[in-house]
Amino acid sequence: MKKIERVLDRIFSVISIFCLVGLICTVLIQVISRSLLPQAPSWTEEVSRFFFISGVFYTTGLAKSRNAYVNVDILEQKLHSNARKVYSILINLLVLGFNLVVFVESIGFTQSGATFIADTVPITMNYIYFGTMVSSFFLMLYTVFDMIKVLTNKNEEAGDAQ
């Protein structure tokens, strides 16, 4: 399990870097072209939006694996270790259930995007909407990994991840 998680983390780290560099490059093209050209290219706004959205979608699992989401743990701090385990499993089950619903609904959402073409870039929107499926699937996967860590006493506190 740890090896699978490590490989997925590396893949999503590369995707994250690619999306960030793509976002920076398209915004830079937009800024420079506004200064030097009579008219800025219209595609840069849409492409930068796609890079931003993709960066968020494809790195949600990475954030879950590193326990990087905001967590208000006032109640959790007051619980004993066994109660904390139960609480953590309950929270993870809620996250798992929510993402299962999102995943199932995102299948139809992605299929509906095949009929829509982006305004300035000649691609169908199902490529963009596909991120919803990927995001919810990998959040479910990393939630299962987290539940296994909790049950086997191998979970890390926020900020302790490598």
Side-chain angles (χ1 to χ4, degrees):
M1 180 185 82
K2 189 72 173 168
K3 190 178 277 189
I4 294 170
E5 193 172 357
R6 206 172 312 134
V7 168
L8 289 173
D9 284 354
R10 287 179 194 229
I11 290 169
F12 289 123
S13 294
V14 168
I15 291 172
S16 173
I17 291 167
F18 174 76
C19 288
L20 183 62
V21 169
L23 176 66
I24 290 169
C25 288
T26 54
V27 170
L28 193 61
I29 290 169
Q30 176 75 357
V31 168
I32 291 172
S33 63
R34 282 186 181 185
S35 302
L36 302 176
L37 299 175
Q39 184 177 359
S42 60
W43 58 268
T44 55
E45 179 189 349
E46 193 165 42
V47 170
S48 64
R49 190 176 327 123
F50 291 162
F51 276 124
F52 178 74
I53 291 168
S54 297
V56 170
F57 277 155
Y58 293 110
T59 57
T60 55
L62 191 60
K64 177 71 174 153
S65 81
R66 295 184 180 177
N67 207 7
Y69 285 112
V70 174
N71 183 13
V72 181
D73 59 349
I74 296 170
L75 174 64
E76 190 176 358
Q77 287 178 0
K78 303 230 184 257
L79 298 173
H80 296 289
S81 64
N82 286 337
R84 191 176 294 153
K85 261 187 185 181
V86 171
Y87 176 77
S88 181
I89 294 295
L90 279 172
I91 295 297
N92 279 323
L93 285 172
L94 286 171
V95 169
L96 193 65
F98 174 76
N99 281 295
L100 181 63
V101 170
V102 171
F103 179 77
V104 169
E105 292 299 318
S106 67
I107 294 170
F109 181 58
T110 302
Q111 290 171 343
S112 73
T115 59
F116 299 114
I117 297 176
D119 292 333
T120 58
V121 185
I123 62 169
T124 57
M125 292 302 290
N126 59 339
Y127 292 113
I128 307 304
Y129 296 165
F130 180 70
T132 311
M133 284 176 54
V134 171
S135 175
S136 57
F137 176 77
F138 282 106
L139 272 173
M140 286 190 298
L141 184 65
Y142 279 111
T143 300
V144 170
F145 289 163
D146 192 38
M147 288 190 326
I148 292 169
K149 288 177 190 174
V150 167
L151 292 172
T152 60
N153 292 323
K154 292 182 181 180
N155 57 330
E156 299 170 340
E157 295 296 320
D160 291 343
Q162 295 298 328

